[in-house]
Amino acid sequence: MVKKSLNPVKIDYKKCIVENRLLQIRNDKIVDLADPLKVWTLEINAKDSKKVVDFIRRTMQPNDPVPLMHIKRIKKADIQKKTLRVVLCSVEMIREKQCVISLLKQLGPNFQYNNLNDTHFVPRQAAPTKELVLEWSDKYWPLSWYGNPNDQILNDYTFDMNAIKLLLEQIAIKATEELNSGNCYPIVSLFVDPKDIENPIIAVDRRTNTDFTILEHSIMSGIKAVAEKESKRREQVAKRVKKDTGSVYLCSDFDVYTTHEPCSMCSMALIHSRIKRCIFVQPMPKTGCLKTESGNNYCMHNNRNLNSKYEVFQWIGSEYPVPQIPEDTCC
Ligand SMILES: [Zn+2]
């Protein structure tokens, strides 16, 4: 992790643009939403606080599907009685009260409280501004402020701009070649495996080819090609060792470059295959599924109803023109 001021990559944190070319695509509609979340809380005597905090760090925090690093775990409850209220975990982690009570037994027979409840709410995500930290702390639960969490996310990404430019150039050229050779879906995607960056897989849209189905969008073709390559690799590994340590997901941490903003089928397939990042060139306002205002506003890579996410950037320079296609084309 490099300090923001020492990052050699030029990042406009306000506009979320890297090196004046890569625009971070986020779900704008949820950036400023607290999205309150129910949590299990307990009112305890101050003398028990260290014991409980240790218990939370050890047992609750590592297993909670909602990272609650942005909230203060403890707040004052009753000043006269010297009691504190502590957030144990999200209700999404443990739904049944009895299960929480069972876990609390780990704190020993002298740890006896009968006030476990799920009536408190905390913001699901860290606030993007100091003003919102104050507002949400007042409304829901005291929060910590470590700066805008998205600044940290942008600062922690790795951007090899030279490699990105070369790959975008490759897909733009290939898409033009497809157009010139009569493919009426000149859409191209490229898959980069972090474990084999020298050999990216390039995939074209094949839905007009009678040997393939109408579902063979370039991203689906790419995923299929990755699957075939992985299947061969596993066969080879199986000949040498009994147990393969490969990931259960097909495209773990892959970068995917694509000429046009993917449709809902393709952007969902990228969720299922667990890619890390998608960079596209041409937005598709009618059929795309990543930009906040595209398609049916699913913002698939950053959708709270899904258990996985990936990063998305749009190349906003004019260096890599891609073929124009009808606006109602799913890519
Ligand atoms: Zn598609």
Side-chain angles (χ1 to χ4, degrees):
M1 191 192 298
V2 60
K3 257 187 163 184
K4 261 169 80 175
S5 56
L6 299 177
N7 194 334
V9 178
K10 192 175 137 200
I11 301 174
D12 181 331
Y13 291 98
K14 233 179 181 160
K15 294 180 181 160
C16 303
I17 298 175
V18 180
E19 295 282 352
N20 292 323
R21 288 294 182 275
L22 288 172
L23 170 68
Q24 183 192 26
I25 303 296
R26 296 196 293 162
N27 190 343
D28 296 338
K29 287 190 181 143
I30 61 172
V31 168
D32 295 342
L33 288 185
D35 193 8
L37 166 84
K38 254 186 180 184
V39 287
W40 289 107
T41 67
L42 197 62
E43 191 177 328
I44 59 167
N45 293 324
K47 66 176 176 53
D48 281 332
S49 60
K50 189 182 176 307
K51 206 181 197 182
V52 178
V53 169
D54 285 347
F55 165 77
I56 292 168
R57 285 216 182 103
R58 206 178 51 244
T59 310
M60 304 304 222
Q61 209 162 298
N63 300 309
D64 204 320
V66 187
L68 295 173
M69 311 302 277
H70 56 288
I71 67 163
K72 290 185 175 162
R73 285 284 175 168
I74 295 179
K75 71 172 184 179
K76 283 180 183 155
D78 188 318
I79 294 173
Q80 282 190 340
K81 284 197 276 175
K82 289 189 182 165
T83 57
L84 305 168
R85 182 164 298 282
V86 51
V87 173
L88 297 172
C89 66
S90 70
V91 171
E92 288 179 19
M93 176 178 156
I94 304 174
R95 307 239 172 227
E96 299 296 325
K97 188 173 187 176
Q98 205 46 47
C99 295
V100 185
I101 292 171
S102 297
L103 279 173
L104 287 170
K105 284 182 184 157
Q106 291 181 23
L107 290 160
N110 296 329
F111 190 85
Q112 295 281 355
Y113 292 101
N114 296 317
N115 58 54
L116 176 69
N117 79 63
D118 64 352
T119 56
H120 289 87
F121 288 85
V122 304
R124 180 185 291 270
Q125 63 174 350
T129 63
K130 230 173 177 173
E131 290 70 33
L132 275 180
V133 166
L134 296 175
E135 193 187 314
W136 293 358
S137 293
D138 200 35
K139 198 169 173 189
Y140 302 103
W141 188 274
L143 302 179
S144 303
W145 170 249
Y146 305 111
N148 183 341
N150 195 58
D151 289 6
Q152 202 53 54
I153 291 169
L154 277 171
N155 188 52
D156 288 348
Y157 288 160
T158 311
F159 296 97
D160 181 343
M161 292 304 284
N162 288 333
I164 291 171
K165 287 174 186 172
L166 277 174
L167 297 168
L168 289 173
E169 188 178 17
Q170 213 176 318
I171 56 169
I173 291 173
K174 182 74 178 161
T176 306
E177 283 172 11
E178 286 295 305
L179 178 72
N180 294 339
S181 66
N183 186 347
C184 54
Y185 296 95
I187 305 153
V188 176
S189 298
L190 187 145
F191 286 65
V192 181
D193 181 348
K195 299 185 293 302
D196 187 15
I197 51 172
E198 300 298 322
N199 297 300
I201 287 176
I202 193 155
V204 300
D205 192 299
R206 296 188 288 205
R207 71 189 102 164
T208 47
N209 186 324
T210 48
D211 293 336
F212 297 95
T213 73
I214 52 162
L215 301 179
E216 300 260 352
H217 297 191
S218 67
I219 283 178
M220 302 307 281
S221 303
I223 291 173
K224 203 169 161 186
V226 172
E228 283 161 6
K229 188 178 167 190
E230 177 64 9
S231 167
K232 278 184 195 147
R233 188 194 69 80
R234 289 188 189 188
E235 268 175 35
Q236 292 299 318
V237 171
K239 284 179 193 164
R240 297 198 307 270
V241 288
K242 276 187 184 162
K243 199 166 179 274
D244 185 3
T245 53
S247 166
V248 290
Y249 294 107
L250 207 46
C251 304
S252 284
D253 292 332
F254 274 45
D255 277 348
V256 173
Y257 297 79
T258 187
T259 51
H260 299 76
E261 183 183 357
C263 71
S264 51
M265 172 180 72
C266 293
S267 47
M268 189 66 181
L270 294 176
I271 289 266
H272 287 312
S273 42
R274 296 295 192 269
I275 68 155
K276 180 175 171 230
R277 179 169 66 178
C278 174
I279 296 177
F280 69 89
V281 180
Q282 178 66 45
M284 295 299 288
K286 273 204 163 173
T287 61
C289 204
L290 300 178
K291 294 191 82 163
T292 310
E293 65 276 17
S294 287
N296 293 326
N297 317 114
Y298 281 131
C299 229
M300 197 70 90
H301 66 295
N302 191 10
N303 189 309
R304 291 204 174 159
N305 297 318
L306 302 173
N307 66 349
S308 182
K309 293 179 171 47
Y310 52 89
E311 304 152 18
V312 172
F313 291 88
Q314 177 192 345
W315 183 267
I316 53 172
S318 55
E319 297 88 341
Y320 311 110
V322 299
Q324 292 297 313
I325 53 176
E327 60 176 7
D328 54 355
T329 308
C330 287
C331 299

